[in-house]
Amino acid sequence: MGIYEAVMEEITAFTGLSPAAFFTIAGMMVVVYRYVTGMFVSAEDYNKPPVVNSEFVSKYFDPATTTAPSSVQVVGDMTEQELRAYNGSDPSKPLLMAIKAQIYDVSSSRNFYGPGGPYAMFAGRDASRALALLSFKPQDINGNIEGLGPDELQILQDWEDKFVEKYVRVGQLVHDTDSEALPQPTQETQQI
Ligand code: HEM
């Protein structure tokens, strides 16, 4: 009798199982063992420094200190035309939006302003007029606040307050030499 047959007979004698059943159960035990042990961190790995997603860190943290969050990416001043590039069509760029010529990084609300979002039409734009008028009309999505009444200006102020509190201001709109449509920043916003 060969070794193979002898081993099979021993397995059946010891376990009362057919060799096929024995190996099936043994295989399942190995799988379960590996699955369960995979849920735990080995002592060796536990002491390793954490793996850091450098892309995330460089976006949200100042590389000089890596402790304090920086003002996201300092985008700086730009024209209304340049702002359009930050409307979410390029996922590598932050999502920006302006109110009263002040530009905010609204990337954290990609669900609102990103492509397909309910307020995507405001991304990459100064949406002051639309927000003041609570309008989604394309002709209102601009920074022209001329002719707005006190109630509308108050609504716009409330939006600005919300944005100042919620988002990081990353720059302001500057005049495009080719365009005359840009509003002047108000006195209040000029102080920032
Ligand atoms: C049918 C009317 C509307 C409903 C039911 C509605 C509902 C909402 C809700 C539930 C949110 C999320 C609020 C949060 O989680 O902070 C929101 C956000 C927002 N809504 Fe509306 N909305 C309406 C009309 C408008 C209009 C007319 C405008 C402006 C033209 C507008 C502009 C915005 C903006 C800009 C945000 C995002 C604010 C942020 O960045 O936190 N909404 N809306």
Side-chain angles (χ1 to χ4, degrees):
M1 186 165 51
I3 292 177
Y4 175 78
E5 282 83 9
V7 170
M8 293 304 146
E9 268 183 24
E10 285 301 311
I11 286 173
T12 309
F14 270 108
T15 64
L17 296 169
S18 71
F22 173 80
F23 284 114
T24 304
I25 291 169
M28 284 167 68
M29 285 169 75
V30 170
V31 170
V32 170
Y33 172 81
R34 293 186 67 103
Y35 179 76
V36 172
T37 54
M39 291 160 76
F40 297 94
V41 180
S42 76
E44 213 173 77
D45 290 345
Y46 185 77
N47 292 322
K48 280 187 190 159
V51 178
V52 175
N53 180 339
S54 56
E55 200 182 308
F56 175 85
V57 169
S58 62
K59 183 163 181 220
Y60 292 103
F61 294 89
D62 185 339
T65 61
T66 63
T67 51
S70 71
S71 311
V72 192
Q73 302 174 348
V74 178
V75 178
D77 298 349
M78 63 175 77
T79 66
E80 211 160 6
Q81 199 56 45
E82 287 163 341
L83 182 62
R84 295 278 175 90
Y86 296 86
N87 67 355
S89 52
D90 180 350
S92 69
K93 286 190 164 73
L95 260 179
L96 303 182
M97 180 176 157
I99 294 181
K100 292 207 257 178
Q102 303 303 304
I103 305 167
Y104 300 89
D105 185 329
V106 296
S107 306
S108 59
S109 294
R110 200 163 272 276
N111 53 335
F112 288 149
Y113 305 107
Y119 304 114
M121 70 293 266
F122 298 149
R125 307 268 187 152
D126 186 321
S128 300
R129 190 171 193 85
L131 291 174
L133 295 171
L134 296 175
S135 161
F136 297 119
K137 289 185 195 148
Q139 65 265 32
D140 290 330
I141 304 175
N142 58 61
N144 180 9
I145 56 173
E146 273 171 36
L148 296 179
D151 291 351
E152 290 153 350
L153 288 172
Q154 184 54 54
I155 292 171
L156 180 56
Q157 187 60 54
D158 292 346
W159 281 113
E160 189 179 23
D161 293 346
K162 182 182 173 75
F163 272 59
V164 166
E165 194 184 314
K166 184 170 178 183
Y167 303 114
V168 176
R169 196 183 72 89
V170 292
Q172 62 182 333
L173 287 173
V174 291
H175 263 294
D176 186 343
T177 44
D178 299 336
S179 150
E180 291 171 13
L182 263 187
Q184 287 293 333
T186 60
Q187 266 201 339
E188 190 184 321
T189 52
Q190 271 173 343
Q191 287 164 4
I192 299 176

